[in-house]
Amino acid sequence: MQVPKLVIFDCDGVLVDTENLANRRLAEWLTAAGFTTSFEYCRKHFSGRSMVSVQKEIEETTKVRLGADFVERWNAGLPDLFAHGVEAIPHVREFVEAVRAAGIAYCVASSARASKMHITLGQTGLLPLFEHAMFSATMVSRGKPFPDLFLHAAETMGFAPPDCIVIEDSVAGTRAGIAAGMRVFSYYADPLSDRDGLAAAGGILFDDMRELAELVPIR
């Protein structure tokens, strides 16, 4: 396997542990709005997705209406939700620093808004490592599972898709990376991760960031 020229990190679930906090709140909000659901359902079906795409799917497939201000209300509540309890994914800092030390370009590309990434990466002390290159689904017309975000990140950073790898933890993100023509390494350490879904989407599976350093040639 060739040494990548660009490593693209997803944020939630790859760099920072936020998926459980976010999906518990999302299940509460959706249920209150009339879309009766569970944390487990949200964790499996909505992880890695933008709230715009979640709202669109629910309103196109059900009679539930979340309100024109749903996304804005969601984003307004994130500073409070992530004020405490957000931690870096175990051992991911060491891998990021190894990539940087090897002189390989890297960035973060997330379904989340840049403002949310500043909060969560800031809470975990990872923000200084990524401030130079942060890409959000708000920068493209279609979010994950479409390839637009990863293609935008690669083009902006100046690299062709085959020279890029993606580090993901969601099925939607894995599909997006594969659709972009990139190699995708899919992290499934969370007990609620959809391991079978990640494999079916084409991801190279791993469950420990220390293992990733062995899978990805960075020297």
Side-chain angles (χ1 to χ4, degrees):
M1 187 178 293
Q2 67 186 46
V3 176
K5 295 181 180 178
L6 175 66
V7 180
I8 304 176
F9 292 88
D10 174 47
C11 189
D12 298 301
V14 168
L15 297 176
V16 294
D17 185 2
T18 57
E19 293 289 11
N20 290 341
L21 282 172
N23 282 292
R24 282 196 177 88
R25 174 171 288 188
L26 181 59
E28 293 170 359
W29 278 37
L30 294 180
T31 298
F35 183 81
T36 304
T37 188
S38 65
F39 159 69
E40 289 79 11
Y41 181 91
C42 290
R43 185 72 177 79
K44 181 173 181 178
H45 293 278
F46 298 140
S47 289
R49 301 266 301 276
S50 68
M51 284 302 114
V52 171
S53 73
V54 170
Q55 180 174 13
K56 182 179 180 182
E57 177 180 314
I58 289 173
E59 294 187 348
E60 285 182 349
T61 58
T62 73
K63 295 182 179 179
V64 173
R65 294 296 174 264
L66 301 179
D69 64 342
F70 173 73
V71 174
E72 290 304 319
R73 287 189 294 113
W74 176 265
N75 286 310
L78 293 181
D80 174 65
L81 179 63
F82 296 130
H84 305 285
V86 177
E87 297 182 351
I89 294 296
H91 311 295
V92 75
R93 173 185 284 275
E94 291 88 336
F95 181 73
V96 175
E97 291 181 339
V99 169
R100 184 174 67 166
I104 297 171
Y106 68 94
C107 63
V108 58
S110 172
S111 293
R113 293 188 175 193
S115 57
K116 177 188 172 186
M117 287 189 275
H118 273 89
I119 294 168
T120 58
L121 293 173
Q123 281 282 324
T124 56
L126 293 173
L127 184 59
L129 291 171
F130 287 95
E131 282 182 303
H132 70 285
M134 302 174 70
F135 299 95
S136 164
T138 59
M139 300 174 179
V140 295
S141 59
R142 302 180 303 175
K144 304 170 187 179
F146 295 99
D148 304 32
L149 177 57
F150 292 139
L151 292 173
H152 171 66
E155 182 178 6
T156 303
M157 298 288 287
F159 298 98
D163 293 327
C164 306
I165 66 167
V166 172
I167 315 300
E168 263 289 351
D169 72 308
S170 71
V171 173
T174 299
R175 287 175 177 163
I178 295 296
M182 303 174 182
R183 287 172 291 158
V184 182
F185 294 82
S186 300
Y187 181 61
Y188 70 96
D190 191 303
L192 293 172
S193 295
D194 185 359
R195 187 184 188 282
D196 292 341
L198 293 171
I204 300 167
L205 304 184
F206 71 103
D207 64 357
D208 189 313
M209 287 295 170
R210 290 169 294 188
E211 181 185 358
L212 184 59
E214 299 173 3
L215 291 173
V216 179
I218 56 176
R219 289 182 176 84

